[in-house]
Amino acid sequence: MAQARRIVVKVGSSSLTTASGGLDADRVDALVDVLAKARSGGTREIVLVSSGAIAAGLAPLGFPRRPRDLARQQAAASVGQGLLVARYTASFARYGVRVGQVLLTGDDTSRRAHYRNAYRTLDQLLTLGALPVVNENDTVATDEIRFGDNDRLAALVAHLVRADLLVLLSDVDGLYDGDPARPTSSRIQNVHGPEDLEGVEIGSAGKAGVGTGGMVTKVEAAQIAANAGIDVVLTSASQAADALAGHPTGTHFHQRGRRSAGRLLWLQHASTPKGALILDDGAVRAVVERRTSLLPAGVEAVEGEFTAGDPVELRDATGRAVARGLVNFDATEIPRLLGRSTRDLARELGPAYEREIVHRDDLVLL
């Protein structure tokens, strides 16, 4: 980890703000001090995924707590995002470091053109010596295109920029095998796979009440990144310096697996299915065991309203989701394709219908 060249660091709202809302300048400066020092040698590049926009906008708008409705959350984010980036800009300026703001939604990691543009922007900022500050674009993100929490966003950004290391900062110094407040609980130092988490009680990360994530989302994000071949350290903001220096701290999720296409990582972990396709037994075996594309002949029914390019679930006869994929047809087109061969469809409807309903390159197993 000490040799990691490109690093994504994620920090949560509770590590930057007060419980009543508003940025804590001392906390922001303390984090910036650590990040600036870690990149001062010129051999390391850091991307900061920072929560805090909504929390920072609460007090200025007179909200006593985080609102539940999306419209007021977006309003708070609109006010708070400017305050957050201004604070980072001023703090990093003490070290002569330029900050670049990058706001993303789920669409930006799922749509090929958006994905390429996001990568190029982040990569160019790093090449120019700037430090990207990434956040979910809460001012425009709807429930359908939200990442849901910045832990998941950080894992996807780490994959997007081809990071060597992901550091998830919380207000707890790692993952414990029980409630960290109990003296009988112990910190788990290493996670090599799901078997190391069997029987572990995973609860909330903190009590500040200004964020959306908890320890559950951090562990899920760590597993997403580790499965994509990226080492992950989960620790507290106060231990950030040790984590970046490669010293033993927090919980280390060891990388495993290979990096997959970015859109597939999004499809599996951050997409919201717009509908479902019910498969016969033969199609289930073909998709799951032989990893083939889904053809019209294997589909028995269609559910929901969606258009070509949307994510849909692939379910067996019992309703169990076995895969998720990007569909090639609108929901209104599929009923007349059910159970038919692509050759017959092409002969009757034209060559545009001689294709898969879901191509295997746009499909992930669940």
Side-chain angles (χ1 to χ4, degrees):
M1 291 184 290
Q3 304 302 316
R5 178 179 173 273
R6 182 168 286 187
I7 304 168
V8 173
V9 177
K10 186 269 175 179
V11 63
S13 299
S14 60
S15 298
L16 299 173
T17 60
T18 64
S20 59
L23 292 172
D24 187 323
D26 291 338
R27 289 185 173 187
V28 174
D29 287 346
L31 174 63
V32 168
D33 291 343
V34 171
L35 299 182
K37 181 179 179 181
R39 70 191 294 281
S40 61
T43 60
R44 290 180 134 187
E45 298 170 331
I46 292 178
V47 177
L48 176 62
V49 177
S50 177
S51 300
I54 293 178
L58 298 182
L61 290 177
F63 294 149
R65 63 185 63 83
R66 183 186 178 95
R68 293 179 180 272
D69 62 287
L70 183 59
R72 289 195 298 169
Q73 288 178 17
Q74 291 172 326
S78 178
V79 172
Q81 187 63 39
L83 297 172
L84 181 65
V85 173
R87 183 63 248 173
Y88 277 128
T89 300
S91 191
F92 274 109
R94 297 177 296 139
Y95 296 93
V97 177
R98 180 76 64 182
V99 164
Q101 176 180 250
V102 179
L103 300 177
L104 299 174
T105 67
D107 268 1
D108 298 318
T109 57
S110 64
R111 299 186 186 276
R112 193 183 299 273
H114 292 203
Y115 182 87
R116 286 199 305 266
N117 289 338
Y119 169 75
R120 281 199 295 260
T121 298
L122 289 165
D123 188 64
Q124 191 59 224
L125 284 170
L126 293 169
T127 299
L128 294 171
L131 189 146
V133 176
V134 181
N135 196 358
E136 180 164 14
N137 195 353
D138 289 308
T139 59
V140 298
T142 61
D143 288 336
E144 288 78 15
I145 60 172
R146 290 175 73 92
F147 289 101
D149 61 77
N150 272 352
D151 298 308
R152 191 181 304 265
L153 170 60
L156 295 171
V157 167
H159 186 275
L160 172 66
V161 300
R162 305 182 177 114
D164 306 303
L165 174 66
L166 170 62
V167 179
L168 298 172
L169 301 178
S170 176
D171 47 5
V172 179
D173 65 346
L175 176 64
Y176 282 73
D177 57 9
D179 187 343
R182 293 201 303 256
T184 56
S185 297
S186 301
R187 177 168 57 87
I188 300 172
Q189 297 186 18
N190 293 283
V191 176
H192 295 275
E195 64 279 0
D196 293 332
L197 298 178
E198 292 181 3
V200 175
E201 300 176 21
I202 303 176
S204 174
K207 303 176 181 178
V210 293
T212 58
M215 189 57 71
V216 171
T217 67
K218 288 169 178 57
V219 171
E220 289 176 348
Q223 291 176 311
I224 291 171
N227 287 335
I230 303 168
D231 279 297
V232 183
V233 175
L234 169 58
T235 190
S236 64
S238 61
Q239 300 296 317
D242 285 339
L244 292 171
H247 298 155
T249 184
T251 301
H252 178 195
F253 289 78
H254 294 259
Q255 61 93 2
R256 55 190 182 276
R258 298 182 302 174
R259 295 178 188 249
S260 60
R263 72 183 188 284
L264 297 185
L265 201 69
W266 166 85
L267 183 62
Q268 183 171 8
H269 298 289
S271 66
T272 301
K274 301 296 182 62
L277 302 174
I278 311 303
L279 280 56
D280 62 28
D281 292 342
V284 171
R285 287 193 298 271
V287 167
V288 175
E289 298 175 10
R290 300 199 300 275
R291 306 293 180 93
T292 67
S293 300
L294 176 63
L295 300 176
V299 181
E300 294 185 329
V302 56
E303 298 178 357
E305 298 179 3
F306 50 82
T307 58
D310 282 342
V312 296
E313 280 189 343
L314 277 54
R315 300 175 182 170
D316 64 15
T318 68
R320 178 176 63 93
V322 297
R324 189 175 296 172
L326 301 178
V327 69
N328 286 325
F329 296 95
D330 296 348
T332 54
E333 295 180 279
I334 295 179
R336 60 176 174 170
L337 313 181
L338 300 184
R340 303 180 64 184
S341 72
T342 53
R343 184 174 300 177
D344 288 343
L345 290 171
R347 191 163 42 241
E348 178 181 334
L349 302 175
Y353 288 86
E354 193 174 10
R355 55 180 171 145
E356 310 85 353
I357 287 186
V358 178
H359 192 277
R360 63 182 179 183
D361 291 344
D362 293 324
L363 187 151
V364 292
L365 302 182
L366 300 179

